[in-house]
């Protein structure tokens, strides 16, 4: 049986979308030892200069932090098939399904199937030989413990952004020089050239022969920060009773925490179009719960999923009971049956809501990302109505969904 040598440590990687091979990990940085040898390690992917700028003979880089004595290793080789699979899956999703609506920016996602949690920051680099004159990249931070990444979000993301902006500036300068010498844009326009040049290495795009070493130093800092200095990071927790959005998020977190094992069944019931009711004399908190549950429906401006007038004897829908002064929330499922098939959507939602030491604004952003991805997937489901359902399932599984999500996707597709 293979052992995952990276265990719960945080790994940083840079990935790109190759026009010939698809999403590919260029190299990754992790904690290691000074005596590590590149031999007997699993080789990386395709041998083109874009996908493998180290080449087949380069051993990568190793650094030692003098204070802690910790070593970092940057390489395009893997210590096991498990590690290779985890990084490649994280890379694939970071440059396909798990992307912010603007195509550039940070996002958090998980894959329970292979036990990974990822912060991904996608970005474009100018390249005169690329289709559309730009190439797509991502910097990812990967670990098997979501709490580590969620606590470090406010630290890792700005650091990633600084690295990316520096790369974009270098690539823009190279692009400008090349266009001044010979305008590739004009050539393609005037001579109707459809073919693009071969994918170029990071060194060529940035114009810096030492860019891999520079990235190794920057990634090493992030790896040491994430793995060695977690106790120094002070999470910023904000509370604002006057903010409708934050009070709604706080209410959703409370619902998730207090109804505990019933949350998965309750949330899936709402996500797939079911109704519910809320019993409470605490009107302000009841309104917060109404607003909170709107995050689980395709159209947030409606409360049609709430049954306003009911008694426990007359409703067969799940009911939230809120005790005096909103002290405790209880869920009565009534005739709502638990599903045999787990929902990846609900699991992801629950992980975000139960994360410790994160801000309401962070939770709001992640839930918004889930909603946008869900609407995108639902639109795809609508387009694939006539396709064989087995192939449809395989398609959605490649984007991190499973059979337990199909009824949710079907309901949301009605609103696309």
């Amino acid at each position: 049986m293979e052992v995952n040598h990276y265990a719960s440590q945080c790994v940083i990687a840079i990935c790109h979308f190759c026009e010939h091979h698809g999403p590919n990990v260029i190299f990754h940085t992790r904690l290691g030892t000074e005596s590590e040898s590149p031999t007997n390690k699993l080789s990386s992917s395709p041998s083109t200069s874009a996908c493998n700028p180290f080449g087949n003979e380069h051993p990568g880089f190793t650094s030692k932090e003098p204070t802690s004595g910790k070593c970092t290793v940057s390489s395009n080789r893997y210590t096991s098939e498990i590690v290779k699979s985890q990084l490649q899956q994280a890379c694939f999703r970071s440059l396909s399904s798990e992307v912010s609506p603007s195509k550039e920016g940070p996002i958090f996602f998980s894959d329970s199937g292979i036990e990974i949690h990822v912060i991904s920051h996608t970005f474009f680099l100018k390249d005169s030989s690329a289709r559309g004159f730009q190439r797509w990249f991502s910097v990812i931070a990967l670990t098997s413990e979501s709490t580590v990444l969620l606590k470090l979000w406010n630290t890792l993301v700005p650091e990633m952004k600084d690295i990316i902006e520096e790369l974009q500036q270098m690539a823009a300068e190279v692009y400008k020089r090349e266009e001044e010498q010979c305008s590739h844009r004009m050539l393609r326009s005037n001579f109707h050239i459809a073919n693009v040049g071969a994918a170029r290495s990071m060194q060529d795009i940035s114009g810096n022969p030492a860019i891999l070493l520079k990235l190794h130093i920057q990634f090493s800092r992030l790896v040491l920060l994430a793995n060695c200095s977690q106790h120094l990071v002070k999470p910023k927790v904000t509370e604002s009773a006057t903010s409708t959005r934050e009070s709604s998020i706080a209410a959703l977190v409370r619902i998730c925490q207090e109804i505990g094992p019933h949350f998965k069944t309750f949330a899936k019931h709402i996500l797939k179009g079911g109704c519910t009711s809320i019993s409470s004399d605490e009107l302000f908190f009841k309104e917060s719960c109404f607003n909170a549950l709107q995050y689980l429906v395709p159209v947030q401006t409606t409360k049609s999923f709430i049954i306003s007038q009911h008694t426990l004897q007359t409703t067969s829908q799940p009911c939230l009971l809120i005790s005096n002064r909103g002290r405790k929330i209880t869920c009565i499922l009534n005739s709502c049956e638990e599903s045999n098939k787990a929902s990846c959507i609900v699991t992801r939602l629950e992980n975000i809501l139960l994360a410790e030491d994160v801000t309401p604004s962070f939770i709001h952003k992640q839930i918004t990302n889930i909603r946008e991805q869900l609407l995108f997937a639902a639109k795809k489901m609508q387009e694939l109505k006539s396709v064989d359902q087995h192939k449809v399932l395989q398609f959605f599984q490649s984007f991190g969904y499973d059979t337990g999500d199909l009824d949710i996707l079907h309901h949301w597709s009605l609103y696309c």
Side-chain angles (χ1 to χ4, degrees):
M1 180 179 176
E2 280 189 289
V3 178
N4 183 351
H5 296 286
Y6 295 176
S8 61
Q9 72 158 280
C10 184
V11 179
I12 308 293
I14 185 166
C15 316
H16 83 129
F17 190 93
C18 176
E19 291 170 357
H20 302 292
H21 307 113
N24 185 71
V25 180
I26 297 175
F27 76 88
H28 65 283
T29 304
R30 57 182 171 80
L31 290 179
T33 61
E34 285 183 279
S35 58
E36 278 196 39
S37 167
T39 58
N40 300 323
K41 298 282 178 70
L42 295 171
S43 154
S44 172
S45 46
S47 56
T48 62
S49 62
C51 296
N52 183 12
F54 279 116
N56 294 325
E57 304 301 324
H58 197 296
F61 301 107
T62 302
S63 299
K64 183 177 181 180
E65 204 280 317
T67 306
S68 64
K70 299 278 187 182
C71 288
T72 55
V73 176
S74 290
S75 173
N76 61 347
R77 296 173 180 268
Y78 307 98
T79 55
S80 76
E81 283 288 356
I82 294 176
V83 169
K84 183 177 180 180
S85 172
Q86 288 180 331
L87 273 166
Q88 288 181 340
Q89 180 67 3
C91 167
F92 175 80
R93 291 181 62 177
S94 79
L95 292 169
S96 57
S97 58
E98 306 291 353
V99 181
S100 66
S102 64
K103 290 288 187 179
E104 292 187 284
I107 193 171
F108 174 86
F109 65 89
S110 300
D111 190 325
S112 55
I114 54 175
E115 298 181 347
I116 58 170
H117 305 277
V118 182
I119 291 176
S120 166
H121 198 309
T122 48
F123 61 100
F124 288 104
L125 291 183
K126 285 282 190 182
D127 181 2
S128 59
S129 70
R131 182 177 285 108
F133 304 100
Q134 59 184 9
R135 297 196 189 275
W136 205 18
F137 292 81
S138 67
V139 173
I140 60 174
L142 176 150
T143 181
S144 62
E145 294 182 3
S146 61
T147 309
V148 173
L149 290 183
L150 294 175
K151 284 184 176 180
L152 287 168
W153 172 276
N154 291 333
T155 304
L156 285 177
V157 169
E159 293 278 353
M160 287 178 171
K161 189 174 180 181
D162 287 344
I163 294 170
I164 289 166
E165 286 178 350
E166 188 176 9
L167 285 172
Q168 288 176 323
Q169 184 178 352
M170 287 189 285
E173 289 172 359
V174 171
Y175 175 80
K176 183 180 178 182
R177 278 199 309 271
E178 291 177 344
E179 283 296 291
E180 287 173 349
Q181 292 170 3
C182 175
S183 175
H184 292 74
R185 187 179 292 274
M186 186 181 296
L187 280 173
R188 292 191 206 175
S189 174
N190 291 345
F191 294 98
H192 306 289
I193 300 173
N195 293 332
V196 295
R200 300 198 293 180
S201 68
M202 181 66 74
Q203 295 97 313
D204 292 332
I205 293 174
S206 67
N208 184 349
I211 191 62
L212 298 183
L213 176 59
K214 183 178 181 67
L215 288 172
H216 161 71
I217 294 168
Q218 292 171 321
F219 286 2
S220 293
R221 182 176 179 278
L222 296 186
V223 166
L224 291 168
L225 174 70
N227 290 294
C228 308
S229 307
Q230 293 168 27
H231 61 284
L232 297 177
V233 179
K234 297 179 180 179
K236 302 173 184 177
V237 181
T238 61
E239 295 180 5
S240 175
T242 60
S243 169
T244 302
R245 189 183 76 181
E246 293 195 356
S247 63
S248 300
I249 289 295
L252 191 57
V253 170
R254 272 199 63 189
I255 290 170
C256 180
Q257 290 173 338
E258 295 193 22
I259 70 175
H262 290 327
F263 179 77
K264 281 188 168 69
T265 303
F266 178 74
K268 184 172 182 180
H269 174 79
I270 304 296
L271 282 163
K272 66 181 185 179
C275 295
T276 189
S277 54
I278 300 175
S279 292
S280 175
D281 294 328
E282 187 68 28
L283 296 181
F284 177 79
F285 186 64
K286 185 176 182 178
E287 183 67 18
S288 294
C289 290
F290 281 154
N291 294 332
L293 294 179
Q294 287 198 61
Y295 285 105
L296 308 184
V297 297
V299 183
Q300 287 189 309
T301 55
T302 179
K303 294 180 182 178
S304 59
F305 65 97
I306 298 292
I307 305 171
S308 299
Q309 301 297 327
H310 78 284
T311 66
L312 290 180
Q313 288 73 34
T314 61
T315 180
S316 60
Q317 304 288 351
C319 176
L320 290 182
L321 297 179
I322 303 172
S323 67
N324 240 356
R325 298 181 182 175
R327 289 175 181 167
K328 185 171 178 58
I329 305 173
T330 307
C331 179
I332 298 177
L333 292 176
N334 289 321
S335 61
C336 179
E337 295 181 2
E338 294 187 26
S339 173
N340 299 331
K341 300 170 183 176
S343 164
C344 299
I345 297 166
V346 174
T347 299
R348 191 186 308 176
L349 178 67
E350 186 180 45
N351 286 341
I352 290 169
L353 293 173
L354 294 179
E356 297 178 358
D357 301 327
V358 294
T359 63
S361 61
F362 170 81
I363 295 174
H364 176 266
K365 184 171 184 177
Q366 299 310 314
I367 292 176
T368 301
N369 283 333
I370 289 177
R371 285 177 49 80
E372 289 168 347
Q373 292 163 26
L374 188 47
L375 284 167
F376 174 79
K379 186 176 181 181
K380 286 293 181 186
M381 172 169 269
Q382 198 175 50
E383 295 170 0
L384 298 172
K385 279 182 180 178
S386 58
V387 180
D388 177 73
Q389 290 306 296
H390 180 67
K391 291 182 178 178
V392 171
L393 177 59
Q394 286 182 325
F395 173 78
F396 283 111
Q397 283 176 330
S398 70
F399 286 91
Y401 299 109
D402 212 334
T403 51
D405 299 307
L406 294 182
D407 47 359
I408 297 174
L409 290 169
H410 175 71
H411 173 67
W412 283 56
S413 71
L414 303 176
Y415 295 84
C416 295

